[in-house]
């Protein structure tokens, strides 16, 4: 049962002393989650109460199915912006239809994540490389920050998912700025940053919310045009099946897929980083997909839009001492009490305060250190980061992810099509064979012997490069060359196209009167050698475990030991034949 219900793993070993820690951590995160959830719902274009709905049922589901002990689930800025960006491209009339589509997207995100988890396809997220994630996240953070300028200025600014349009629209409206809204927003930012600098354990967000509500109420700021949240419905979300239409699914599936992968990536990266910090291993990638998928699917039946792990709240959750996901139940309980009894208290909450919370929370997502490191060591990856960043900023958020991912894959294919291919030589007074270019005069290079190492899999994309470079090396050696040894330690796979090429190369070698040996082939590569026809063109006695054995055989026809021969010839076909 533990395979399907991860909570049974920690529940059976639950220590009573952990309860107070889980209680404190859960209440702390719950208090922060309430204003953050409402703020992030505003980013998604939803009424603030939907941020509270998304902070209730999904947390309960994850508490029983999640494998991370400290991950804090709920609405996040990045995914909220993706929802707004995706729905902004559709023709939707009326707020009810907009809300229905946002909830339907959560259902689709959950369905995709659940499908990927059941079929153990969590590896797909690996195709979102670090440069793509960094560029996309930084650009999205800037868009989120500037999308809140309208609340900071207290004016009605036309929203957009394009950075330049946000800037232009805001600049035009600057003369209409409400000084009270601006003062509240700037004050909120300063207070949150100051308290965070003074003591990170102080919930600055909560202080700003309280001060903002008190200032608006006692100073009667709505009379001065200050925008407030207004009435928030009291009561729990009711059960309702999301409106499922084939037409809607076809329209939103690209954004749902993006949200499913990005949300999973956020959750798994947070879970793994906390796991490393705490020196414990509990996170299971595919179970996390199932937990996130179930949280989003079940949540969508209770009017929740999509959720994932939060960087900031998870850090607070961990530092507050959370030991198990029971703490999430206390966070959900805090939200439940708020929905039942406390929503009238948020009537006078100024939008500028929510804007200040969003701006401070999102600012930390802008990554400057990573591009600097790429500038020093990986300029080609920096180019991918910058293209992803600019595409996301000026063209669109989904387009940024797609373009960045395609460029990453293109770079990977290019790198594997022209991999590291070097000549090796024996280092004086040793048994080591190393790169001739790297070790220079310390390496003994022979005219009658060519030793090469190919540092990649051999497949259709690089077989022509291999053949071309191989004969370049042979041509440089001239007529004195007698033997070529291929060090295959780094070759972990040979496809059918490359195997056919190798057979032809071996035949060509023999026609030229050259010997050809293979040394250091690992198990999977040996299997391919014996099943693809390569062993028919190359007698198995020319397969060696180590390069030095191949050299000894060339020099003295020294037959390797019985153990060495058994290792060199070991393959699956041989086992089947035996």
């Amino acid at each position: 049962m533990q395979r399907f219900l991860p909570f049974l793993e920690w529940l059976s070993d639950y220590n009573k002393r952990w309860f107070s820690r889980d209680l404190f951590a859960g209440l702390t995160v719950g208090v922060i989650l309430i204003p953050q959830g409402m703020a992030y719902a505003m980013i998604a274009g939803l009424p603030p109460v939907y941020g509270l709905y998304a902070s209730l049922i999904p947390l309960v589901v994850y508490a029983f199915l999640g494998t991370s002990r400290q991950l804090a689930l709920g609405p996040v800025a990045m995914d909220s912006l993706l929802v707004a960006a995706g729905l902004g491209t559709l023709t939707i009339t009326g707020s009810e239809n907009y809300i229905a589509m946002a909830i339907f997207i959560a259902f689709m995100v959950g369905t995709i994540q659940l499908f990927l988890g059941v079929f153990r396809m969590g590896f797909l997220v690996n195709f979102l490389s670090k440069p793509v994630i960094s560029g996309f996240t930084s650009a999205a953070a800037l868009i989120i920050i500037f999308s809140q300028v309208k609340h900071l200025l207290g004016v009605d600014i036309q929203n957009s998912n394009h950075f330049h349009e946000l800037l232009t629209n805001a600049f035009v409206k600057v003369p209409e700025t409400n000084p009270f809204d601006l003062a509240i927003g700037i004050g909120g930012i300063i207070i949150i940053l100051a308290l965070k600098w003074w003591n990170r354990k102080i919930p600055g967000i909560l202080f700003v919310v309280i001060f903002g509500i008190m200032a608006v109420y006692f100073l009667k700021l709505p009379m001065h045009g200050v925008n407030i949240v207004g009435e928030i419905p009291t009561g729990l979300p009711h059960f309702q099946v999301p409106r499922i239409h084939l037409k809607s699914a076809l329209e939103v599936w690209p954004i749902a897929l993006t949200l499913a992968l990005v949300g999973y990536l956020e959750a798994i990266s947070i879970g793994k980083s906390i796991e490393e910090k705490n020196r414990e291993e509990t996170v299971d990638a595919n179970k996390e997909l199932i937990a996130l998928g179930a949280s989003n699917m079940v949540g969508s039946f209770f009017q929740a839009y999509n959720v994932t792990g939060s960087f900031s709240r998870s850090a607070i959750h961990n530092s507050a001492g959370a030991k198990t996901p029971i703490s999430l139940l206390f966070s959900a309980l805090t939200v439940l009490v708020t929905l039942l009894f406390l929503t009238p208290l948020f009537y006078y909450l100024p939008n500028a305060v929510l804007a200040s919370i969003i701006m401070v929370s999102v600012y930390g997502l802008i990554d400057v250190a990573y591009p600097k490191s790429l500038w020093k060591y990986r300029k080609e990856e920096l180019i991918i980061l910058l293209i992803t960043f600019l595409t996301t900023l000026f063209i669109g958020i989904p387009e940024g992810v797609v373009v960045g991912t395609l460029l990453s894959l293109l770079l990977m294919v290019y790198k594997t099509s022209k991999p590291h291919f070097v000549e090796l030589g024996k280092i004086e007074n040793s048994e080591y064979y190393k790169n001739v270019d790297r070790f220079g005069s310390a390496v003994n290079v022979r005219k009658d012997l060519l030793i090469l190492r190919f540092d990649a899999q051999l497949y259709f994309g690089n077989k022509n490069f291999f053949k071309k470079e191989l004969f370049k090396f042979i041509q440089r050696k001239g007529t004195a060359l007698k033997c070529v040894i291929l060090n295959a330690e780094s070759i972990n796979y040979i496809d059918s196209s490359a195997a056919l090429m190798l057979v032809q190369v071996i035949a060509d070698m023999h026609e030229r009167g050259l010997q050809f040996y293979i040394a250091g082939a690992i198990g999977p590569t040996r299997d391919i050698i014996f099943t693809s026809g390569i062993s028919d063109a190359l007698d198995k006695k020319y397969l060696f475990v180590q390069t030095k054995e191949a050299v000894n055989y060339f020099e003295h026809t020294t037959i390797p030991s019985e153990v060495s021969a058994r290792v060199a010839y070991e393959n699956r076909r041989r086992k089947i034949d035996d």
Side-chain angles (χ1 to χ4, degrees), residues 47-89:
V49 72
Y50 283 88
L52 299 182
Y53 294 161
S55 306
L56 191 59
I57 300 299
L59 273 68
V60 176
V61 175
Y62 184 85
F64 291 99
L65 298 181
T67 59
S68 174
R69 306 288 171 87
Q70 287 81 27
L71 183 72
L73 202 73
V76 298
M78 186 73 63
D79 291 40
S80 299
L81 179 63
L82 283 168
V83 170
L87 294 180
T89 60

Side-chain angles (χ1 to χ4, degrees), residues 199-417:
N199 189 338
R200 286 184 172 271
K201 292 185 178 180
I202 297 176
I205 292 174
L206 181 61
F207 275 90
V208 168
V209 168
I210 294 172
F211 292 153
I213 292 173
M214 292 176 64
V216 169
Y217 179 78
F218 289 109
L219 299 178
K220 302 186 186 303
L221 293 180
M223 296 176 59
H224 298 281
V226 171
N227 297 290
I228 58 175
V229 169
E231 185 177 355
I232 299 174
T234 300
L236 302 179
H238 57 272
F239 178 86
Q240 181 177 330
V241 178
R243 300 179 193 173
I244 302 172
H245 301 291
L246 179 60
K247 182 182 178 182
S248 301
L250 292 174
E251 287 179 331
V252 302
W253 78 262
I255 197 67
L257 178 61
T258 303
L259 278 164
L261 292 177
V262 171
Y264 169 63
L265 178 65
E266 288 174 303
I268 199 71
S269 60
I270 295 167
K272 287 290 186 183
S273 63
I274 294 177
E275 186 180 68
E276 291 175 7
K277 185 177 181 179
N278 295 340
R279 297 182 179 179
E280 61 179 0
E281 294 184 5
T282 62
V283 177
D284 182 294
N286 290 300
K287 287 181 182 179
E288 276 297 290
L289 265 173
I290 293 173
L292 286 172
S295 298
N296 279 307
M297 280 189 70
V298 176
S300 69
F301 287 93
F302 294 90
Q303 302 179 66
Y305 77 103
N306 55 286
V307 298
T308 187
S310 163
F311 287 96
S312 58
R313 292 195 302 272
S314 296
I316 295 170
H317 197 216
N318 185 53
S319 62
K323 300 298 291 184
T324 68
I326 281 181
S327 57
L328 291 180
L329 298 180
F330 293 120
S331 296
L333 181 63
T334 306
V335 176
L336 184 145
V337 171
T338 301
L339 281 168
L340 288 176
F341 307 109
L342 305 179
T343 51
L345 296 177
F346 294 97
Y347 181 90
Y348 289 102
L349 178 62
N351 288 340
V353 163
L354 293 179
S356 67
I357 293 171
I358 292 169
M359 287 179 166
V360 174
S361 300
V362 170
Y363 178 76
L365 297 177
I366 300 175
D367 192 351
V368 178
Y370 184 62
K372 285 183 178 179
S373 67
L374 291 182
W375 170 256
K376 293 179 181 178
Y377 307 111
R378 293 285 187 276
K379 287 186 172 59
E380 68 278 6
E381 293 188 36
L382 176 62
I383 292 172
I384 292 175
L385 186 152
L386 292 175
I387 292 175
T388 304
F389 176 79
L390 294 173
T391 304
T392 304
L393 211 58
F394 297 109
I395 298 178
I397 294 170
E399 290 86 348
V401 176
V402 171
V403 169
T405 302
L406 289 177
L407 286 174
S408 293
L409 293 174
L410 187 62
L411 178 63
M412 181 189 71
V413 171
Y414 175 77
K415 291 286 187 183
T416 58
S417 69

Side-chain angles (χ1 to χ4, degrees), residues 412-419 454 459 461-463 465-466:
M412 181 189 71
V413 171
Y414 175 77
K415 291 286 187 183
T416 58
S417 69
K418 294 185 177 181
F454 189 76
Y459 74 112
N462 61 25
K463 68 180 181 66
F465 172 79
F466 175 90

